[in-house]
Amino acid sequence: MQTLISHPAFQSALAPFVVAVLMVLAVTRFRPDLSSQWLGLAILGGFLSTVLLTTGLSIWPVTSTQKLIFSALTLPVFVILMEWLYRLLAARVLPGESVKGQFFITIFLPVALLVAAQCWIIWPVLMRQEWADAWPMVLRVTGYVAAIGTIFLGLGRLREPEKKLAQGVSILVLGLGTGITCLLVATALYAQLAFAISASVGGLLLMTLFPWCRIALGHVASFGLFAAAVPLALLGASATVYAQPHLPFWALPCLMAIPLLAWWPTIRVSDPWLKVVVTPLLAFIPVIPAIWLAWRAGGPVSF
Amino acid sequence: MKKMILLAAVLLLPVTGWAASYTIDPQHTYPNFKINHLGFSTLHGRFGKTSGSLEMDLAKGTGSVEIVIDVASINTGFKKRDDHLRSPDFFNAIEFPEIRFTSTKVSINGKAATIVGDLTIMGVTRSVTLDVSSIHCGVHPFSKKDVCGFDATTEFNRSDFGIKYALPAVGDKVKLDIEMEAIKK
């Protein structure tokens, strides 16, 4: 049993997948009225299972990895709070459908927190550098997490059924891309945490294939997308700082292109089953140059 | 009167001794470690860069030691593994570039000694005891400088310092051997 539990494939693939599936079943059974909003719990649960199996859930010592895990588990909840706050304000204070107010509360504030979390994670490195040397790094990592946060929270706001598969697949492939690139630059823990997100999203997406779950195909919702986007953004950005060798920065813009490619088949392909196959394949195209860059920096994986 | 005090001081000198100060010789000071790898074998590695200082009062049997180890200088003979050991999975060399040992109590007994001190890895400080053997102080045959050297050894669990990745597959217990030479200031 111990051999199974300590195997990386169990820790970062099987365990989060099973936990995510069980949590989707629990959410859809007990709160079918709210199920789509709470699907993010399946991703958080899957991610938490991998954390418990790899590093354990400890606060001390406060390392960059602990900060990353803490941010990944807490920030997504903020999206739920902000959406609740927006609905409250929209009903009482904001005039009608305030687009600016909605953007500020439900997208800008969570993304600002995500950026702050990334700065907190790299703070020990910043403290040792002159500002003139540090600002390009700060700009790169905060720019990446802000972009990923905004893209996926923005995607989460799209309600059209045909767009939902692209949402889910984007985050699934972003997890795979982040995991593979981190593995190549010798941060197996970062890779495992990224693969855990992919496995959790995979479990969730699998459940959306079953009509009795009453979830639209590929639907992850804002909370779920942010629950997955937060750790993946932080892992990718932090790998450019803490991985040895560093993940090349240009791998990150490649990963950012994943949602754009995932979008294309929603327009061109009408058959849903073909869409399920084609969408991940297309979304994976930007991952290839990212893998190549990471391979050049880190070389082949060894055990 | 001044002459009397000076004479007394000179006479007492051999009895009390002097706490001599030394600077660690980085070319002859290497912390070596051993750790179990997946139950198959014992992996050996070393840190290539160290610095620090040493004070020894052989007559009183006391002293102090401070050793600073450059984490990025880890070498197990395979670059990819060294990169992994420098990564956040293990030592996180970017965030925590140093391992530091600062003695809190030194008891020298002839050629052997016990050094109790604080070992700080990844920001976590734990008390460990170095068992020291083969203490030898003398004049270096080539440089003609006063040199002291010894071998020290200790054991600790890496999980106590928050390094929990790949437990228990990669062993928890780390055996640390330090071969040290220091040159008198």
Side-chain angles (χ1 to χ4, degrees):
Chain A
M1 188 64 182
Q2 189 60 52
T3 311
L4 176 71
I5 287 173
S6 60
H7 198 286
F10 177 83
Q11 293 174 335
S12 55
L14 190 60
F17 178 84
V18 170
V19 168
V21 167
L22 291 176
M23 290 195 76
V24 170
L25 287 174
V27 165
T28 51
R29 179 173 174 82
F30 294 112
R31 294 305 298 268
D33 50 329
L34 294 171
S35 59
S36 64
Q37 286 177 40
W38 291 96
L39 288 175
L41 287 176
I43 295 166
L44 283 181
F47 180 74
L48 181 61
S49 69
T50 298
V51 169
L52 291 171
L53 289 168
T54 50
T55 64
L57 194 64
S58 59
I59 297 169
W60 184 261
V62 187
T63 64
S64 55
T65 307
Q66 306 298 341
K67 292 174 188 173
L68 195 155
I69 290 167
F70 177 79
S71 303
L73 290 171
T74 54
L75 286 189
V77 181
F78 197 72
V79 170
I80 293 267
L81 291 175
M82 288 298 100
E83 289 195 350
W84 172 80
L85 179 69
Y86 170 71
R87 280 197 295 274
L88 191 76
L89 291 176
R92 297 183 182 179
V93 183
L94 296 173
E97 284 289 312
S98 168
V99 176
K100 281 183 186 172
Q102 189 179 25
F103 175 82
F104 182 79
I105 295 168
T106 61
I107 295 181
F108 179 79
L109 284 181
V111 169
L113 269 182
L114 178 58
V115 168
Q118 183 60 61
C119 291
W120 182 42
I121 289 166
I122 61 168
W123 190 251
V125 180
L126 297 182
M127 290 291 284
R128 289 198 299 268
Q129 291 187 351
E130 293 294 325
W131 176 241
D133 300 326
W135 73 263
M137 178 182 72
V138 175
L139 212 61
R140 284 196 299 261
V141 297
T142 56
Y144 177 68
V145 297
I148 290 291
T150 308
I151 288 169
F152 282 97
L153 276 178
L155 291 184
R157 306 216 70 76
L158 300 172
R159 306 290 180 206
E160 296 91 332
E162 72 273 12
K163 305 265 172 78
K164 295 191 188 305
L165 182 65
Q167 295 171 354
V169 166
S170 298
I171 206 74
L172 176 90
V173 175
L174 181 66
L176 284 175
T178 307
I180 295 168
T181 51
C182 286
L183 194 62
L184 288 169
V185 290
T187 50
L189 178 61
Y190 280 19
Q192 281 194 269
L193 295 175
F195 287 140
I197 294 292
S198 249
S200 307
V201 174
L204 200 161
L205 293 181
L206 178 72
M207 297 310 286
T208 67
L209 288 170
F210 300 108
W212 47 265
C213 265
R214 283 172 291 173
I215 306 169
L217 182 67
H219 187 46
V220 184
S222 300
F223 175 40
L225 283 172
F226 202 60
V230 167
L232 295 179
L234 297 177
L235 287 165
S238 300
T240 65
V241 178
Y242 288 120
Q244 294 278 319
H246 302 311
L247 177 65
F249 167 71
W250 290 107
L252 299 184
C254 297
L255 297 176
M256 272 165 53
I258 289 168
L260 298 177
L261 269 290
W263 226 244
W264 185 78
T266 63
I267 304 163
R268 302 291 172 92
V269 180
S270 53
D271 179 63
W273 287 99
L274 185 62
K275 205 183 278 184
V276 166
V277 176
V278 171
T279 310
L281 290 176
L282 273 171
F284 201 80
I285 290 172
V287 178
I288 295 166
I291 290 173
W292 180 74
L293 288 165
W295 178 280
R296 271 202 342 165
V301 178
S302 66
F303 298 96
Chain B
M1 185 63 183
K2 280 183 184 171
K3 282 181 183 174
M4 291 291 284
I5 293 170
L6 192 63
L7 181 64
V10 169
L11 288 174
L12 283 171
L13 187 62
V15 180
T16 56
W18 291 99
S21 296
Y22 299 83
T23 303
I24 283 177
D25 175 3
Q27 292 169 12
H28 294 93
T29 302
Y30 294 103
N32 301 273
F33 62 88
K34 294 179 202 173
I35 192 163
N36 184 276
H37 178 245
L38 305 175
F40 293 120
S41 64
T42 303
L43 175 81
H44 292 238
R46 67 156 46 175
F47 293 94
K49 283 186 191 169
T50 51
S51 60
S53 61
L54 176 68
E55 283 203 3
M56 287 177 75
D57 189 333
L58 291 173
K60 283 185 179 173
T62 60
S64 66
V65 182
E66 173 140 53
I67 308 168
V68 180
I69 301 166
D70 180 357
V71 175
S73 69
I74 197 166
N75 183 358
T76 61
F78 180 47
K79 185 184 175 298
K80 190 79 182 179
R81 179 170 50 228
D82 297 341
D83 287 342
H84 193 197
L85 289 169
R86 291 183 196 110
S87 79
D89 298 8
F90 292 96
F91 288 105
N92 201 350
I94 300 284
E95 187 176 4
F96 301 101
E98 289 178 357
I99 293 173
R100 187 176 286 266
F101 176 82
T102 308
S103 66
T104 52
K105 187 184 175 191
V106 177
S107 308
I108 303 171
N109 184 12
K111 294 270 182 194
T114 303
I115 305 175
V116 181
D118 294 330
L119 179 65
T120 304
I121 303 175
M122 287 182 63
V124 180
T125 303
R126 295 268 185 268
S127 182
V128 298
T129 301
L130 293 178
D131 293 319
V132 177
S133 61
S134 310
I135 298 175
H136 179 70
C137 296
V139 178
H140 193 282
F142 309 123
S143 68
K144 304 301 178 192
K145 291 175 180 171
D146 286 328
V147 173
C148 266
F150 57 76
D151 298 324
T153 183
T154 190
E155 276 187 0
F156 56 86
N157 289 329
R158 64 185 175 103
S159 59
D160 291 342
F161 294 88
I163 307 174
K164 295 177 184 172
Y165 185 76
L167 281 174
V170 176
D172 193 12
K173 194 169 284 299
V174 180
K175 189 166 188 293
L176 183 68
D177 297 313
I178 306 175
E179 49 185 273
M180 181 189 279
E181 289 185 21
I183 302 164
K184 197 171 185 179
K185 287 178 183 170

